[in-house]
Amino acid sequence: MDEMILRDLLKEKTLRDLVVINEKADLDRVVSTVESTETPDVVAYVPPHTLLLTTAMAYQNCQGELCKLIVSLNQLPCAGMAIKIGRFIGELEPQVVQVADELGFPLLQIPMYQTLGEVYHHMLAYIWDNENEDLLYALNIQKRFYNLVLQNASLNKLLSNLGMALKQPIFIFDLFGSLRGSSNATKQEERMAENSFSMMVGELLAQDETAAGEENKGVRDYSIYPIRAASYNTHYLMILETEKRMNTVSSFVLEQVLLIFGMYFYKDFYLCYNEIQQRESFWCRLTEQKKKDAGESQNLLLEGKELGIKKCSYYQVIIGRLSQMEGRRFHTPKFMKKEEQYILIYEWLKEQLEGVYHREVLVFPDTTSWSYIFLVQERRHMAEENMRQLHQYLWQVMGLQLEFSCGNEVYELETLSNSYWKAKASFHNGELKNGVDYIHHYKPQNILELLKSLSDNQIQDVCVQILKSLAYPQDEMSLELRKTLKTYLDCHCSIIETANLLFVHRNTIRYRIKRCEEILENDLRDPDYCFQVQLCLVFTDKC
């Protein structure tokens, strides 16, 4: 149902004798109520969209003051003024009509045979009848949509039903400017709506009120209404009107519609939070620092596969933390504004990263530290530029700072926890690069630290490949050769120092080193190769 406008009010049978005085009167003004008064300071207490009834008795000797009243009422805004001409004012002076025409302010003449009381009651009765129809219509809308929510109807189904009821193009946007759904709209209208919303999103976030605007130089009108899920405006309903100056939808109907959508998104929040709990629990079990048995590891791999984790040759963990939330408690199940923000950002990050990168970047929550964990499964993704864009956009939209910390690269899923804990540590001991103070990069301490990212199986394979039978010797001769080789490398390849430390003759050392070179199939005079051998000896000593 549409709101009452002056043009429709004047079509009522009992009010058809009212005459429009000025030619340029805007009869499309909304009329929400009627007031009858002779008080000069009426502007101070009359509500907006009021149609004022008066005899203008106070202005019979000074119609210039009536011009000032018209200007003030127009700014309110007021629907217009109906004057009973002939009782105190014989006729309106030209300057009064001119001012009204310049403003498009409607001036109506009440016939002499009708009293102000009669006109007042006829108008008010008609407006109330119209409002009663609106109320019944709104209650029917509420009942229909409430049943849809109880039946777990999708957002698209809710929008489709609303579109049929309003018969206008409608859209739902989230606070990041993403179009979540539409009804009765063409692709061109969707693009127009997205452009308009993106230009107004900053203004909308700064206020709770309805926003209105025009598109294409006045060809299309639209209104935007905030939808509150719990304590925060999380989405926005945009109604695109199909004709210039088309009346807005009844406030009764809109209140019920916005309430229903608020219920839908509130319910959606809890569903999303259930997912957050499940994914957070999985991540904790995956990265906990304790040895897992074969059965537990296999179950985690199967569960991870359902979430998008795959076997590949590269992994890196990056943590994004909401720095303003540090030290605060995550309250559940009663969400406050900051919890709603966390959940909204989680959904947005999942859409931005998992969708765009085809799940080669996965997002896991960590509510205890107000963080988001990004599991990168492809080297080229989540570069510094991607992190900068996420940081800047989140700051622009919500005024929140997302601070990043990067773990080391690992090459097997079994060593993923190493990258995760290095990412957590990098918040404190990582290094900053390129003057960016919100991205902490992992800084390896030494080559041994770097090799910790390899699994035991990978280390064993590398050591056997380089040391051959000297990697894990079984017989006494091989054990003696390995001991000699290690001492020789520790002594910087000095035959004399090695012989002195082992208390054997120099020729014996020369023979053993030559025998080692035959087994290794390589020359120990190569410094790079010697370093690899020495490193493998260190690792195999620990096994």
Side-chain angles (χ1 to χ4, degrees):
M1 297 293 290
D2 296 335
E3 286 183 316
M4 176 67 66
I5 61 171
L6 186 56
R7 186 187 307 278
D8 292 336
L9 183 64
L10 295 177
K11 292 177 182 178
E12 166 61 13
K13 184 177 180 180
T14 58
L15 301 172
R16 289 177 184 172
D17 290 340
L18 272 68
V19 178
V20 180
I21 297 173
N22 52 325
E23 293 181 357
K24 298 181 180 179
D26 177 11
L27 300 182
D28 290 322
R29 295 194 177 204
V30 174
V31 183
S32 59
T33 189
V34 181
E35 293 286 348
S36 177
T37 183
E38 302 296 338
T39 307
D41 61 347
V42 63
V43 177
Y45 62 85
V46 71
H49 307 299
T50 296
L51 180 59
L52 189 64
L53 308 184
T54 182
T55 63
M57 176 179 63
Y59 304 98
Q60 57 183 322
N61 298 319
C62 52
Q63 291 196 28
E65 293 299 314
L66 187 57
C67 294
K68 295 180 182 179
L69 176 64
I70 290 172
V71 172
S72 298
L73 290 172
N74 185 70
Q75 292 173 346
L76 193 57
C78 197
M81 183 162 55
I83 306 172
K84 188 170 183 179
I85 296 175
R87 185 171 181 187
F88 295 101
I89 293 181
E91 62 179 356
L92 291 178
E93 294 176 0
Q95 61 173 332
V96 176
V97 179
Q98 182 181 351
V99 168
D101 267 340
E102 289 173 356
L103 300 173
F105 186 83
L107 293 176
L108 309 177
Q109 181 175 347
I110 300 173
M112 281 297 295
Y113 61 83
Q114 284 188 306
T115 66
L116 292 186
E118 289 174 342
V119 175
Y120 176 81
H121 288 298
H122 286 316
M123 285 186 172
L124 212 53
Y126 187 71
I127 291 172
W128 284 349
D129 285 344
N130 188 70
E131 288 181 351
N132 285 336
E133 289 181 21
D134 279 354
L135 182 58
L136 290 173
Y137 181 68
L139 291 174
N140 287 331
I141 288 280
Q142 181 194 47
K143 182 178 179 181
R144 186 199 312 175
F145 278 78
Y146 185 71
N147 288 334
L148 286 172
V149 171
L150 290 179
Q151 294 165 11
N152 294 319
S154 66
L155 180 60
N156 285 336
K157 188 167 184 179
L158 289 175
L159 283 170
S160 177
N161 275 266
L162 181 59
M164 288 189 291
L166 301 185
K167 297 180 175 59
Q168 292 171 257
I170 55 174
F171 313 87
I172 290 281
F173 290 92
D174 63 22
L175 55 78
F176 295 100
S178 298
L179 179 64
R180 312 309 303 181
S182 65
S183 180
N184 288 348
T186 64
K187 291 295 182 183
Q188 182 181 3
E189 287 171 333
E190 285 186 359
R191 288 193 295 270
M192 291 166 59
E194 286 178 306
N195 291 336
S196 298
F197 189 85
S198 64
M199 290 188 291
M200 296 190 67
V201 64
E203 178 185 342
L204 290 166
L205 292 172
Q207 61 183 18
D208 285 341
E209 300 174 358
T210 300
E214 294 184 350
E215 296 187 13
N216 288 349
K217 300 180 180 179
V219 176
R220 306 297 297 274
D221 291 338
Y222 61 84
S223 296
I224 301 174
Y225 303 89
I227 299 172
R228 187 179 295 268
S231 59
Y232 192 62
N233 292 338
T234 60
H235 294 79
Y236 294 86
L237 172 67
M238 174 186 278
I239 300 177
L240 189 64
E241 297 174 353
T242 53
E243 296 177 8
K244 179 66 178 160
R245 294 186 178 278
M246 183 172 183
N247 297 319
T248 56
V249 180
S250 161
S251 59
F252 291 118
V253 175
L254 275 174
E255 284 176 9
Q256 300 308 314
V257 167
L258 296 175
L259 178 64
I260 293 298
F261 276 111
M263 290 172 57
Y264 173 85
F265 288 118
Y266 188 73
K267 179 182 176 183
D268 196 50
F269 263 133
Y270 275 94
L271 292 175
C272 183
Y273 181 64
N274 286 337
E275 177 189 311
I276 284 175
Q277 287 180 302
Q278 293 170 8
R279 290 174 75 102
E280 187 171 12
S281 172
F282 167 78
W283 184 262
C284 288
R285 287 181 282 116
L286 180 67
T287 57
E288 62 185 347
Q289 294 178 308
K290 74 169 189 177
K291 192 170 182 64
K292 303 177 181 67
D293 58 44
E296 186 180 6
S297 297
Q298 185 64 27
N299 289 336
L300 279 172
L301 289 175
L302 290 173
E303 190 177 346
K305 188 176 180 181
E306 294 294 320
L307 298 174
I309 295 178
K310 55 187 179 181
K311 278 279 188 181
C312 54
S313 58
Y314 174 90
Y315 300 97
Q316 185 185 20
V317 173
I318 298 173
I319 300 175
R321 181 176 66 188
L322 296 174
S323 52
Q324 292 107 315
M325 304 296 190
E326 192 174 2
R328 296 187 182 184
R329 181 185 171 191
F330 194 94
H331 292 279
T332 56
K334 186 177 181 181
F335 297 132
M336 301 173 70
K337 179 178 178 179
K338 59 184 186 297
E339 284 80 20
E340 286 185 87
Q341 288 176 323
Y342 179 89
I343 294 172
L344 284 168
I345 295 169
Y346 168 77
E347 289 186 302
W348 175 68
L349 288 171
K350 272 192 67 181
E351 180 180 302
Q352 290 294 307
L353 300 176
E354 293 193 7
V356 172
Y357 294 130
H358 308 291
R359 304 190 84 183
E360 289 180 346
V361 177
L362 300 178
V363 182
F364 291 89
D366 180 4
T367 57
T368 57
S369 62
W370 298 87
S371 300
Y372 307 94
I373 300 159
F374 309 107
L375 173 56
V376 185
Q377 303 183 104
E378 177 62 47
R379 188 184 297 273
R380 68 179 183 272
H381 297 322
M382 280 298 283
E384 184 171 311
E385 181 60 29
N386 301 120
M387 290 183 264
R388 286 190 187 194
Q389 291 172 356
L390 293 174
H391 173 89
Q392 291 168 1
Y393 191 73
L394 196 59
W395 173 253
Q396 290 171 1
V397 173
M398 301 182 78
L400 294 175
Q401 291 186 338
L402 192 61
E403 183 182 11
F404 295 93
S405 181
C406 307
N408 57 317
E409 299 175 358
V410 295
Y411 311 103
E412 276 199 346
L413 192 57
E414 289 77 5
T415 59
L416 191 61
S417 60
N418 186 270
S419 181
Y420 170 62
W421 291 105
K422 290 295 187 297
K424 289 181 76 73
S426 293
F427 274 117
H428 306 289
N429 55 30
E431 61 179 340
L432 304 176
K433 297 180 181 179
N434 305 320
V436 180
D437 62 357
Y438 53 83
I439 302 179
H440 304 263
H441 296 268
Y442 170 67
K443 184 178 180 181
Q445 302 302 310
N446 50 48
I447 190 66
L448 292 177
E449 186 73 19
L450 183 63
L451 287 174
K452 285 181 182 178
S453 63
L454 298 174
S455 68
D456 291 342
N457 290 336
Q458 285 181 311
I459 291 173
Q460 186 175 352
D461 290 343
V462 171
C463 290
V464 169
Q465 183 180 355
I466 292 177
L467 296 179
K468 307 294 191 296
S469 61
L470 297 180
Y472 303 100
Q474 301 297 321
D475 60 275
E476 188 174 343
M477 177 58 72
S478 296
L479 286 167
E480 198 63 41
L481 287 175
R482 177 188 168 93
K483 180 181 178 182
T484 302
L485 176 62
K486 186 177 186 306
T487 307
Y488 176 73
L489 294 174
D490 289 343
C491 293
H492 306 290
C493 300
S494 169
I495 296 291
I496 296 174
E497 288 185 32
T498 305
N500 291 338
L501 282 174
L502 295 178
F503 302 104
V504 295
H505 196 274
R506 297 174 190 175
N507 288 339
T508 303
I509 298 300
R510 288 192 180 94
Y511 168 77
R512 290 180 181 177
I513 294 303
K514 184 173 178 60
R515 183 76 186 100
C516 286
E517 288 180 331
E518 291 173 355
I519 294 171
L520 299 174
E521 300 176 356
N522 219 315
D523 190 344
L524 289 173
R525 288 175 296 183
D526 181 351
D528 290 337
Y529 177 70
C530 286
F531 176 73
Q532 294 178 43
V533 171
Q534 197 169 18
L535 205 58
C536 289
L537 288 169
V538 171
F539 273 100
T540 50
D541 272 345
K542 295 180 179 180
C543 297

